[in-house]
mmCIF file with all atom_site columns, all heavy atoms in Angstrom:
data_model
loop_
_atom_site.group_PDB
_atom_site.id
_atom_site.type_symbol
_atom_site.label_atom_id
_atom_site.label_alt_id
_atom_site.label_comp_id
_atom_site.label_asym_id
_atom_site.label_entity_id
_atom_site.label_seq_id
_atom_site.pdbx_PDB_ins_code
_atom_site.Cartn_x
_atom_site.Cartn_y
_atom_site.Cartn_z
_atom_site.occupancy
_atom_site.B_iso_or_equiv
_atom_site.pdbx_formal_charge
_atom_site.auth_seq_id
_atom_site.auth_comp_id
_atom_site.auth_asym_id
_atom_site.auth_atom_id
_atom_site.pdbx_PDB_model_num
ATOM 1  N N   . TRP A 1 64  ? -4.076 36.042 -30.662 1.00 98.00 ? 64  TRP A N   1
ATOM 2  C CA  . TRP A 1 64  ? -2.798 36.635 -30.221 1.00 98.00 ? 64  TRP A CA  1
ATOM 3  C C   . TRP A 1 64  ? -2.631 36.334 -28.712 1.00 98.00 ? 64  TRP A C   1
ATOM 4  O O   . TRP A 1 64  ? -3.595 36.439 -27.941 1.00 98.00 ? 64  TRP A O   1
ATOM 5  C CB  . TRP A 1 64  ? -2.831 38.159 -30.425 1.00 98.00 ? 64  TRP A CB  1
ATOM 6  C CG  . TRP A 1 64  ? -2.713 38.546 -31.852 1.00 98.00 ? 64  TRP A CG  1
ATOM 7  C CD1 . TRP A 1 64  ? -3.729 38.641 -32.742 1.00 98.00 ? 64  TRP A CD1 1
ATOM 8  C CD2 . TRP A 1 64  ? -1.489 38.856 -32.605 1.00 98.00 ? 64  TRP A CD2 1
ATOM 9  N NE1 . TRP A 1 64  ? -3.274 39.013 -33.995 1.00 98.00 ? 64  TRP A NE1 1
ATOM 10 C CE2 . TRP A 1 64  ? -1.893 39.133 -33.915 1.00 98.00 ? 64  TRP A CE2 1
ATOM 11 C CE3 . TRP A 1 64  ? -0.168 38.885 -32.236 1.00 98.00 ? 64  TRP A CE3 1
ATOM 12 C CZ2 . TRP A 1 64  ? -0.972 39.514 -34.886 1.00 98.00 ? 64  TRP A CZ2 1
ATOM 13 C CZ3 . TRP A 1 64  ? 0.751  39.274 -33.222 1.00 98.00 ? 64  TRP A CZ3 1
ATOM 14 C CH2 . TRP A 1 64  ? 0.355  39.548 -34.555 1.00 98.00 ? 64  TRP A CH2 1
ATOM 15 N N   . THR A 1 65  ? -1.418 36.020 -28.310 1.00 98.00 ? 65  THR A N   1
ATOM 16 C CA  . THR A 1 65  ? -1.091 35.922 -26.923 1.00 98.00 ? 65  THR A CA  1
ATOM 17 C C   . THR A 1 65  ? -0.530 37.277 -26.480 1.00 98.00 ? 65  THR A C   1
ATOM 18 O O   . THR A 1 65  ? 0.506  37.652 -26.968 1.00 98.00 ? 65  THR A O   1
ATOM 19 C CB  . THR A 1 65  ? -0.075 34.796 -26.693 1.00 98.00 ? 65  THR A CB  1
ATOM 20 O OG1 . THR A 1 65  ? -0.676 33.544 -27.057 1.00 98.00 ? 65  THR A OG1 1
ATOM 21 C CG2 . THR A 1 65  ? 0.342  34.722 -25.200 1.00 98.00 ? 65  THR A CG2 1
ATOM 22 N N   . VAL A 1 66  ? -1.239 37.908 -25.543 1.00 98.00 ? 66  VAL A N   1
ATOM 23 C CA  . VAL A 1 66  ? -0.846 39.254 -25.122 1.00 98.00 ? 66  VAL A CA  1
ATOM 24 C C   . VAL A 1 66  ? -0.063 39.210 -23.817 1.00 98.00 ? 66  VAL A C   1
ATOM 25 O O   . VAL A 1 66  ? -0.537 38.573 -22.840 1.00 98.00 ? 66  VAL A O   1
ATOM 26 C CB  . VAL A 1 66  ? -2.127 40.141 -24.922 1.00 98.00 ? 66  VAL A CB  1
ATOM 27 C CG1 . VAL A 1 66  ? -1.735 41.545 -24.633 1.00 98.00 ? 66  VAL A CG1 1
ATOM 28 C CG2 . VAL A 1 66  ? -3.013 40.095 -26.162 1.00 98.00 ? 66  VAL A CG2 1
ATOM 29 N N   . ARG A 1 91  ? 1.098  33.662 -32.092 1.00 97.00 ? 91  ARG A N   1
ATOM 30 C CA  . ARG A 1 91  ? 1.387  35.063 -32.410 1.00 97.00 ? 91  ARG A CA  1
ATOM 31 C C   . ARG A 1 91  ? 1.401  35.814 -31.062 1.00 97.00 ? 91  ARG A C   1
ATOM 32 O O   . ARG A 1 91  ? 0.501  35.659 -30.237 1.00 97.00 ? 91  ARG A O   1
ATOM 33 C CB  . ARG A 1 91  ? 0.360  35.666 -33.356 1.00 97.00 ? 91  ARG A CB  1
ATOM 34 C CG  . ARG A 1 91  ? 0.356  35.041 -34.709 1.00 97.00 ? 91  ARG A CG  1
ATOM 35 C CD  . ARG A 1 91  ? -0.459 35.766 -35.727 1.00 97.00 ? 91  ARG A CD  1
ATOM 36 N NE  . ARG A 1 91  ? -1.883 35.721 -35.400 1.00 97.00 ? 91  ARG A NE  1
ATOM 37 C CZ  . ARG A 1 91  ? -2.845 36.256 -36.084 1.00 97.00 ? 91  ARG A CZ  1
ATOM 38 N NH1 . ARG A 1 91  ? -2.550 36.979 -37.210 1.00 97.00 ? 91  ARG A NH1 1
ATOM 39 N NH2 . ARG A 1 91  ? -4.111 36.119 -35.769 1.00 97.00 ? 91  ARG A NH2 1
ATOM 40 N N   . LEU A 1 93  ? 1.734  39.511 -28.911 1.00 98.00 ? 93  LEU A N   1
ATOM 41 C CA  . LEU A 1 93  ? 1.637  40.918 -28.780 1.00 98.00 ? 93  LEU A CA  1
ATOM 42 C C   . LEU A 1 93  ? 2.237  41.301 -27.423 1.00 98.00 ? 93  LEU A C   1
ATOM 43 O O   . LEU A 1 93  ? 1.642  40.981 -26.359 1.00 98.00 ? 93  LEU A O   1
ATOM 44 C CB  . LEU A 1 93  ? 0.236  41.433 -28.916 1.00 98.00 ? 93  LEU A CB  1
ATOM 45 C CG  . LEU A 1 93  ? -0.060 42.879 -28.556 1.00 98.00 ? 93  LEU A CG  1
ATOM 46 C CD1 . LEU A 1 93  ? 0.769  43.839 -29.448 1.00 98.00 ? 93  LEU A CD1 1
ATOM 47 C CD2 . LEU A 1 93  ? -1.557 43.209 -28.667 1.00 98.00 ? 93  LEU A CD2 1
ATOM 48 N N   . ASP A 1 294 ? -4.352 34.701 -23.480 1.00 97.00 ? 294 ASP A N   1
ATOM 49 C CA  . ASP A 1 294 ? -4.199 33.736 -24.616 1.00 97.00 ? 294 ASP A CA  1
ATOM 50 C C   . ASP A 1 294 ? -5.465 33.910 -25.485 1.00 97.00 ? 294 ASP A C   1
ATOM 51 O O   . ASP A 1 294 ? -6.322 33.039 -25.564 1.00 97.00 ? 294 ASP A O   1
ATOM 52 C CB  . ASP A 1 294 ? -4.100 32.312 -24.038 1.00 97.00 ? 294 ASP A CB  1
ATOM 53 C CG  . ASP A 1 294 ? -3.671 31.348 -25.111 1.00 97.00 ? 294 ASP A CG  1
ATOM 54 O OD1 . ASP A 1 294 ? -2.997 31.743 -26.069 1.00 97.00 ? 294 ASP A OD1 1
ATOM 55 O OD2 . ASP A 1 294 ? -3.998 30.123 -24.970 1.00 97.00 ? 294 ASP A OD2 1
#
Side-chain angles (χ1 to χ4, degrees):
W64 290 85
T65 297
V66 184
R91 295 190 294 181
L93 169 60
D294 193 26

